[in-house]
Amino acid sequence: MERYDFGEIEAKWQKHWEDSKLFKTTEEEGKKKYYLLEMFPYPSGKLHMGHVRNYSIGDVATRYLKMNGYNVLHPMGWDSFGLPAENAAIKHGIHPNVWTWENIAEMRNQLKQLGLSYDWDREVATCHPDYYKWMQWIFIQFFEKGLAYKKKNPVNWCPSCQTVLANEQVVDGACERCSTPVGKKDLDQWYLKITDYADRLLTDIDRLEGWPNKVKVMQKNWIGKSVGGEVDFTIEGFDKTLKIFTTRPDTLFGVTYMVLAPEHPYVKELIAGTEYEAAVNEFLNKLQYMTDIERTATTLEKDGIFIGRYAVNPLNGKKVPVYIANYVLMDYGTGAIMAVPAHDQRDFDFAKKYNLDIIPVVDPKNPEIDINNLKEAFEADGTMINSGQFDGMDVETAKEQIVAFLEEKNIGTKSVNFRLRDWLISRQRYWGCPIPMVWCDHCGWVPEKMENLPVLLPTDVVFTGKGESPLTTSPTFMDTTCPKCGGKATRETDTMDTFLDSSWYFLKYTDAKNMERIWDQKKADYWMPVDQYIGGVEHAILHLLYARFFTKFLYDIGFSAADEPFTNLLTQGMVLKDGTKMSKSKGNVVSPEEIISKYGADTARLFILFASPPEKELEWSDAGVEGSYRFLNRVHRLVFELNDKLKDVTASRQAVSAEDKKLNYAMNATIKKVSEDVGGRFNFNTAISSIMELVNEIYRYKETETLNLGLLKAAVENLILILSPFTPHICEEMWEFTGHSGTVYLENWPEYDEAALVKDAVEIVIQFNGKLKDKIEVPNGLSKEQLQETVMDSDKVKALLAGKEIVKIVAVPNKLINIVVK
């Protein structure tokens, strides 16, 4: 028998697949298509076990679908712009371009070593000019449609990385990458008006039936639609109106103070030249080192300062003090709130701390709540009190009546607000897509001409990690002419947030090498939308939301026939070791290269798919890897041992003897189980378990006295076919060894015979008072009466009944019989 030499086998078949371009995909009209995609990786240089799991899941599904007659698109590429490459340039003196492409080459080789069925002819890298040319083209479309704009805003700023950070990139007040404390800085930044799509992005979540509910809930909460009213407050001695948004206009009579966000544009005007100016500025300086996430945390101690001004309640004319406080953000609503301490816990805590009035405006009719001596805020649901002409109304009626009154008096209006803010896309870094905009003193901001795209990243830059963007150090890049008037102009030196690059790559895959157009519309329409998308749940909000936004925009301008990018979404669980996520800092990383060199890629794939359902966390187990390796050796040994007996035999599913029927049942039941688990539910672990049971049955059957060689050959061949999506190399080798030409990848998936799944005999459980006492085989399909008669005639049952009185008998055909005795 030949030894299972995984190294030789895997190298042989990987070369065959590449030489024959086996996985190359083209459009085939009239053939059912399936677009399967895993989230493309950042080229860090090394795959980790999370990658192996993610890509193995997609590869199994791809191979299964291909064998079931689908025209499957399964591409791969690189999300290759980003800060790590630039940091490497600073640290090691290597250009980001060199660092990135070296890593891509290494990771591409690692992916091929796993035997993944990618169409490498469609490979894209976001840092390649052929790709970012079209990223710039898309940005210009946004600009021309009025959806890209520049404005000055306070932003999270890392003084070490010298770049803007999103809220999610700030952890415990520090930069997630370098751990430097993050502050605030006013910068002119480019934004995309994702808020114009907020309502559609929210409403269409309900169409995403193939998405996990947890992801849909996360997106709904992130978009955060609130229906309420905008109300105009005047400020004594100030000629501007203070506009607030509230979801509870019915509580207006309970307002006892106002709060402005520290960044509110009125603050500086309101304190200028007053006795409060110095103290307020000191307070503002302290807050600049707090992130928005910290400021909105429920555990945050509410802190504020009176600014010496009073606002006037438009409903009752009451004057209330104006504060600034750490718990109000400029980015939500209008950056100003009316505070109703009786009915909002944050406001209640603040009011208690600063000895401000607390006025309930709703009677909850709850004897446990003393509205005249509140210990905490309570939900404003009940009957209106302390609210003038609206007293006695229920809350919902009061909301409508008060908004109508505000509109009638022209001091407010019904309004819808979203938590979602416009997308800040500027980054003060080099290794990103240049924003294709030019500043002209005469024309303002002008987009680069289409024929001049891409705006290339210059090579004459200096990497110091300090100061402004490295692009400002390149005179060849900075100085240009205005595309509109031809006068002197300068280029934008910010680059784009890398989330833009990954917001449309799935569309570019449909026509990856088209340099004349962003893509051929017929090809994009053929493949889109992506039928199955696979990736980590950590991308639930940003990447997945941005991808939906881009797709809807491209749909609106006629470049996508789909207005949602992903029909189905699978969020795979993390790979853990010793109960925690693998990480270098914890010293619990297992290298895929180490596993492949010791056990082979097929073993790595089999273990990672067998150890846990895809959506669950997976605990790494060295023993589990060993077990998977032993199983493949066992299969290899079985096939090679039987080959001499079976090589001249024609496969047949004809089963004659009882032993034949057991094998035939196991074979057909396994085909059915694997088909359902892989094709419908992605339950790979249970599919593999059923294959292991079939292997046991074949081993058992081959030792029987009279062998049905045709049936045995059918079982072995079908075993190879249904195992091949999981462990393709060894299955290709066994398929070839058993006399087949061509590749198992192009074989048809086996069908199962329903008739073979009907057993002549079934095992029945016998219980006494619900406790197992025996098991017996009985003919399949007995009625309740026949089953009871057969069981009661058993000698063992008769013995168990001796001296006992039967209370009742419960018979479940083909399953069990329970005899209740006393």
Side-chain angles (χ1 to χ4, degrees):
M1 184 201 76
E2 289 193 25
R3 183 175 64 89
Y4 171 39
D5 187 339
F6 59 81
E8 182 179 323
I9 290 171
E10 291 174 2
K12 167 187 172 180
W13 287 104
Q14 287 165 18
K15 184 176 187 305
H16 172 76
W17 297 335
E18 186 159 0
D19 290 347
S20 63
K21 287 191 174 291
L22 183 63
F23 307 132
K24 183 177 174 60
T25 307
T26 57
E27 297 72 33
E28 295 184 52
E29 293 297 335
K31 192 170 185 179
K32 51 187 179 181
K33 73 90 182 178
Y34 201 96
Y35 187 176
L36 191 143
L37 183 62
E38 306 100 40
M39 295 180 186
F40 64 171
Y42 180 78
S44 60
K46 295 287 184 183
L47 291 182
H48 55 67
M49 280 301 170
H51 289 130
V52 175
R53 189 181 198 195
N54 191 18
Y55 304 144
S56 296
I57 290 168
D59 196 57
V60 170
T62 295
R63 290 173 178 274
Y64 170 82
L65 290 161
K66 181 69 175 179
M67 295 174 77
N68 276 276
Y70 284 87
N71 188 26
V72 187
L73 176 58
H74 188 213
M76 177 48 68
W78 313 98
D79 191 10
S80 48
F81 272 138
L83 194 55
E86 196 160 340
N87 287 342
I90 297 165
K91 185 175 180 180
H92 302 296
I94 184 172
H95 194 280
N97 190 60
V98 175
W99 186 85
T100 300
W101 286 104
E102 285 179 352
N103 287 349
I104 286 174
E106 184 172 355
M107 290 182 71
R108 185 191 299 115
N109 184 57
Q110 291 171 338
L111 292 176
K112 289 181 178 181
Q113 286 179 339
L114 283 167
L116 302 167
S117 55
Y118 292 128
D119 179 357
W120 286 105
D121 286 349
R122 294 177 184 264
E123 180 182 11
V124 301
T126 60
C127 68
H128 196 289
D130 288 347
Y131 185 90
Y132 70 73
K133 166 184 179 178
W134 299 109
M135 180 67 261
Q136 293 170 347
W137 179 88
I138 293 173
F139 180 90
I140 292 172
Q141 308 310 306
F142 275 116
F143 181 79
E144 291 183 342
K145 298 297 181 184
L147 294 172
Y149 66 94
K150 197 170 193 182
K151 71 172 182 179
K152 180 170 285 189
N153 246 356
V155 294
N156 298 319
W157 178 260
C158 174
S160 176
C161 295
Q162 292 283 302
T163 193
V164 172
L165 300 176
N167 286 336
E168 296 72 25
Q169 294 170 308
V170 182
V171 180
D172 296 329
C175 174
E176 67 171 355
R177 190 164 299 280
C178 70
S179 300
T180 301
V182 171
K184 292 286 186 180
K185 185 175 182 178
D186 281 336
L187 285 180
D188 278 326
Q189 304 281 282
W190 285 98
Y191 291 80
L192 293 184
K193 293 184 72 173
I194 191 173
T195 52
D196 277 17
Y197 282 73
D199 216 17
R200 281 170 65 186
L201 288 167
L202 181 65
T203 302
D204 289 352
I205 288 174
D206 292 332
R207 293 168 46 197
L208 305 176
E209 296 179 1
W211 284 39
N213 189 59
K214 63 181 178 182
V215 174
K216 294 193 285 186
V217 169
M218 289 168 75
Q219 288 211 0
K220 285 182 178 180
N221 291 340
W222 188 258
I223 296 168
K225 183 177 182 178
S226 301
V227 178
E230 285 190 344
V231 186
D232 294 333
F233 282 73
T234 58
I235 298 177
E236 283 192 325
F238 191 62
D239 60 359
K240 296 178 182 178
T241 299
L242 180 62
K243 190 179 294 292
I244 63 96
F245 171 81
T246 177
T247 58
R248 298 302 303 265
D250 51 301
T251 65
L252 266 163
F253 284 89
V255 174
T256 62
Y257 66 98
M258 305 290 291
V259 182
L260 301 181
E263 303 84 7
H264 197 288
Y266 287 2
V267 171
K268 293 291 187 181
E269 294 182 62
L270 289 168
I271 64 173
T274 71
E275 61 184 289
Y276 298 90
E277 185 173 13
V280 171
N281 281 330
E282 184 179 347
F283 182 77
L284 294 174
N285 290 335
K286 182 174 70 172
L287 289 187
Q288 71 170 321
Y289 292 102
M290 293 184 67
T291 68
D292 291 353
I293 293 173
E294 290 172 317
R295 284 169 54 186
T296 54
T298 56
T299 55
L300 174 75
E301 182 181 353
K302 310 304 180 280
D303 198 8
I305 189 169
F306 177 52
I307 66 170
R309 295 282 192 164
Y310 290 85
V312 179
N313 189 320
L315 288 188
N316 59 13
K318 182 178 178 180
K319 294 193 300 182
V320 296
V322 179
Y323 282 74
I324 58 172
N326 57 357
Y327 69 97
V328 178
L329 303 180
M330 190 64 216
D331 279 347
Y332 184 74
T334 64
I337 67 163
M338 62 179 213
V340 186
H343 305 300
D344 183 284
Q345 192 60 41
R346 296 180 312 165
D347 297 346
F348 183 91
D349 295 340
F350 192 91
K352 280 292 187 182
K353 181 174 181 177
Y354 294 100
N355 198 29
L356 298 167
D357 291 342
I358 299 174
I359 302 173
V361 290
V362 175
D363 184 352
K365 305 297 184 183
N366 184 341
E368 295 183 6
I369 299 176
D370 181 357
I371 60 176
N372 296 312
N373 186 27
L374 291 176
K375 304 300 183 186
E376 60 183 11
F378 67 93
E379 186 176 348
D381 190 17
T383 303
M384 301 295 295
I385 59 173
N386 298 326
S387 298
Q389 70 208 62
F390 304 100
D391 281 353
M393 293 183 182
D394 65 84
V395 163
E396 292 306 314
T397 300
K399 285 182 183 179
E400 296 179 9
Q401 293 291 322
I402 290 175
V403 169
F405 180 82
L406 293 169
E407 291 182 327
E408 179 186 341
K409 299 297 183 182
N410 200 30
I411 51 176
T413 183
K414 187 174 182 179
S415 177
V416 175
N417 197 59
F418 291 91
R419 179 178 182 270
L420 182 68
R421 300 292 90 196
D422 280 344
W423 180 4
L424 190 164
I425 62 116
S426 290
R427 296 295 180 266
Q428 291 68 45
R429 306 303 300 185
Y430 168 79
W431 196 237
C433 177
I435 296 175
M437 301 297 293
V438 171
W439 173 257
C440 172
D441 288 339
H442 177 70
C443 303
W445 285 109
V446 181
E448 184 56 85
K449 293 179 180 178
M450 297 295 184
E451 59 266 28
N452 292 338
L453 299 182
V455 176
L456 293 169
L457 282 170
T459 56
D460 56 339
V461 295
V462 178
F463 296 104
T464 64
K466 306 296 179 184
E468 297 181 81
S469 166
L471 289 177
T472 62
T473 67
S474 169
T476 60
F477 180 83
M478 288 280 291
D479 299 330
T480 187
T481 56
C482 175
K484 189 173 183 180
C485 72
K488 287 184 178 182
T490 55
R491 291 197 183 280
E492 172 60 74
T493 57
D494 284 354
T495 53
M496 298 185 203
D497 178 4
T498 57
F499 273 114
L500 278 83
D501 305 324
S502 58
S503 295
W504 60 282
Y505 76 108
F506 42 88
L507 272 156
K508 189 57 181 170
Y509 277 143
T510 66
D511 193 15
K513 303 308 176 186
N514 193 333
M515 297 300 106
E516 302 304 316
R517 288 181 287 171
I518 190 166
W519 48 70
D520 184 303
Q521 200 59 52
K522 287 185 178 180
K523 291 181 179 181
D525 292 352
Y526 175 86
W527 290 113
M528 287 294 292
V530 175
D531 295 283
Q532 181 67 60
Y533 200 36
I534 303 169
V537 73
E538 66 270 19
H539 301 292
I541 296 172
L542 299 183
H543 165 59
L544 290 170
L545 187 65
Y546 294 154
R548 294 182 61 222
F549 168 46
F550 262 60
T551 303
K552 289 182 183 299
F553 173 71
L554 291 167
Y555 171 84
D556 288 349
I557 63 172
F559 283 87
S560 174
D563 71 338
E564 285 288 345
F566 314 121
T567 302
N568 298 291
L569 173 68
L570 173 68
T571 53
Q572 90 282 358
M574 292 189 299
V575 180
L576 310 178
K577 192 169 192 297
D578 305 323
T580 59
K581 183 180 178 180
M582 288 187 182
S583 72
K584 291 179 182 178
S585 62
K586 294 174 182 173
N588 64 346
V589 171
V590 177
S591 163
E593 290 178 314
E594 175 188 340
I595 299 301
I596 292 171
S597 65
K598 188 174 181 180
Y599 299 104
D602 283 337
T603 293
R605 291 168 56 121
L606 187 69
F607 167 74
I608 211 95
L609 296 166
F610 178 55
S612 174
E615 70 280 3
K616 303 294 185 183
E617 292 179 338
L618 182 155
E619 179 65 38
W620 183 263
S621 164
D622 293 335
V625 177
E626 289 274 4
S628 297
Y629 180 62
R630 286 196 302 271
F631 171 72
L632 290 182
N633 272 279
R634 194 164 181 252
V635 173
H636 187 268
R637 184 166 60 251
L638 175 68
V639 172
F640 278 77
E641 283 180 355
L642 289 174
N643 192 59
D644 285 344
K645 289 182 179 179
L646 302 178
K647 63 182 178 182
D648 297 323
V649 174
T650 301
S652 168
R653 294 199 182 191
Q654 185 174 3
V656 179
S657 70
E659 295 300 325
D660 290 353
K661 290 178 180 178
K662 284 183 180 179
L663 178 61
N664 197 36
Y665 175 87
M667 176 180 67
N668 283 279
T670 305
I671 294 171
K672 181 179 182 181
K673 176 68 172 169
V674 176
S675 300
E676 291 173 347
D677 283 354
V678 176
R681 297 186 288 262
F682 279 21
N683 289 346
F684 299 146
N685 59 320
T686 54
I688 293 169
S689 180
S690 67
I691 292 173
M692 290 175 172
E693 291 174 6
L694 175 60
V695 171
N696 290 338
E697 178 60 26
I698 296 174
Y699 263 101
R700 186 202 65 79
Y701 179 80
K702 78 182 183 70
E703 300 302 325
T704 57
E705 290 185 9
T706 305
L707 291 178
N708 179 337
L709 294 180
L711 179 63
L712 183 57
K713 183 161 187 173
V716 170
E717 288 185 344
N718 285 319
L719 166 65
I720 296 171
L721 290 172
I722 62 177
L723 182 60
S724 67
F726 303 94
T727 57
H729 307 90
I730 191 174
C731 290
E732 290 278 22
E733 185 72 8
M734 293 187 299
W735 193 247
E736 181 184 68
F737 184 78
T738 52
H740 297 88
S741 59
T743 168
V744 72
Y745 178 76
L746 298 178
E747 291 294 323
N748 291 326
W749 187 258
E751 296 181 357
Y752 59 87
D753 181 5
E754 286 282 4
L757 299 177
V758 179
K759 292 182 175 180
D760 293 337
V762 293
E763 190 175 63
I764 293 295
V765 171
I766 300 174
Q767 298 175 337
F768 272 60
N769 294 341
K771 295 182 178 180
L772 176 66
K773 293 296 183 181
D774 199 10
K775 294 179 181 179
I776 63 171
E777 274 200 352
V778 300
N780 188 13
L782 293 181
S783 66
K784 287 184 180 181
E785 293 76 16
Q786 291 170 327
L787 175 60
Q788 181 175 326
E789 182 181 342
T790 301
V791 169
M792 299 303 288
D793 196 41
S794 160
D795 290 338
K796 186 166 185 178
V797 170
K798 289 177 180 177
L800 289 167
L801 283 171
K804 296 181 176 65
E805 178 184 344
I806 298 175
V807 177
K808 67 176 179 178
I809 299 174
V810 179
V812 180
N814 284 357
K815 288 188 177 180
L816 63 82
I817 190 164
N818 183 32
I819 304 169
V820 181
V821 298
K822 64 178 182 179

